[in-house]
Amino acid sequence: MLKFILVGIANTIFGMGIMFLFYNFFHFNYWISSASNYIFGSILSYFLNKYFTFQNNSKGFKVILKFTINITICYLVAYGLAKPLTVMAMASFGPNIQNNIAMLAGSIFFVVLNYVGQRFWAFKD
């Protein structure tokens, strides 16, 4: 768990930096900005978690496919829930604030779901 947390901190800094940069600086929309976080962050996460956190020595396409499926499902569930919940809870705020808070909430949901998926399915021998 400690290794997953350390890798998560590195991934969070890297991925959230990309996400908020894309949304606030390049003005990409919510879905493109948050997806970019997980596309770039997942590449880093795959290698760090496979070899450092879970020390998985599996070869071949199967582990990559399981990892990709896990990331995709976690992303869709986390950000799919975060956006409408944040819009409802923060109806009096503007869309820019709502989207920034939704992206932050989505990343928190994602971390929990992703750990469970990687630990008990994607990298389980």
Side-chain angles (χ1 to χ4, degrees):
M1 184 67 165
L2 179 60
K3 288 180 181 181
F4 187 81
I5 291 170
L6 292 173
V7 168
I9 290 169
N11 280 340
T12 299
I13 292 168
F14 179 70
M16 289 182 85
I18 289 171
M19 178 173 64
F20 287 117
L21 179 72
F22 281 12
Y23 184 77
N24 293 301
F25 185 75
F26 294 114
H27 306 288
F28 293 157
N29 71 29
Y30 173 85
W31 291 108
I32 291 172
S33 299
S34 62
S36 297
N37 175 359
Y38 291 98
I39 291 169
F40 295 111
S42 293
I43 294 168
L44 177 62
S45 175
Y46 174 79
F47 290 104
L48 290 176
N49 281 317
K50 179 174 175 24
Y51 297 109
F52 175 69
T53 305
F54 299 113
Q55 298 175 352
N56 180 285
N57 295 316
S58 300
K59 302 286 186 213
F61 186 71
K62 185 178 178 182
V63 71
I64 294 170
L65 180 62
K66 286 171 71 174
F67 178 84
T68 302
I69 290 168
N70 180 66
I71 292 291
T72 302
I73 290 170
C74 291
Y75 168 75
L76 292 172
V77 170
Y79 283 83
L81 288 173
K83 175 97 169 157
L85 291 175
T86 302
V87 168
M88 286 189 310
M90 303 188 77
S92 62
F93 293 88
N96 193 41
I97 291 173
Q98 289 175 345
N99 286 335
N100 275 288
I101 298 299
M103 288 187 292
L104 182 61
S107 14
I108 294 167
F109 294 158
F110 179 87
V111 167
V112 174
L113 295 170
N114 185 40
Y115 175 77
V116 171
Q118 286 189 38
R119 172 75 174 91
F120 297 107
W121 185 65
F123 291 123
K124 185 171 176 77
D125 283 329

